[in-house]
Amino acid sequence: MRPGIHPVSRPVVFRDRASGFELLTRSTLDAARTVERADGSTYPVVDVEVSSASHPFYTGTSRVMDTAGRVERFERRYGRTAPVRP
């Protein structure tokens, strides 16, 4: 590898804002905030919105989307502007 062209990889904590799950791994991301772990070490922390701990695909929980209600609500608001095709 050529020196000076690769970003610095260091330990970073990724924290899920929804579930509080934390994952310590190596990354090249810079983080302004830090967090102290149970082992007493301080690491930069990056907050993420979704992780495997909170995503419905990984947790087994599903969300039911009421698509029919959304379409009806849209038509109530804006009307049916295009003719319905047979």
Side-chain angles (χ1 to χ4, degrees):
M1 293 190 335
R2 289 183 16 204
I5 63 168
H6 300 285
V8 177
S9 175
R10 60 188 153 274
V12 175
V13 173
F14 287 90
R15 180 172 51 197
D16 185 351
R17 296 177 62 178
S19 67
F21 174 73
E22 293 182 350
L23 175 70
L24 176 63
T25 186
R26 297 190 64 81
S27 177
T28 58
L29 288 176
D30 289 328
R33 290 185 283 159
T34 60
V35 66
E36 187 171 334
R37 298 280 298 219
D39 62 358
S41 300
T42 303
Y43 299 103
V45 64
V46 176
D47 288 325
V48 294
E49 298 294 325
V50 177
S51 72
S52 61
S54 64
H55 193 276
F57 179 78
Y58 293 106
T59 60
T61 58
S62 63
R63 299 180 198 170
V64 177
M65 301 283 290
D66 182 20
T67 55
R70 289 181 180 206
V71 171
E72 291 168 359
R73 187 174 43 201
F74 178 82
E75 288 177 353
R76 261 195 325 266
R77 285 185 186 166
Y78 304 106
R80 184 177 290 269
T81 59
V84 178
R85 294 183 184 184

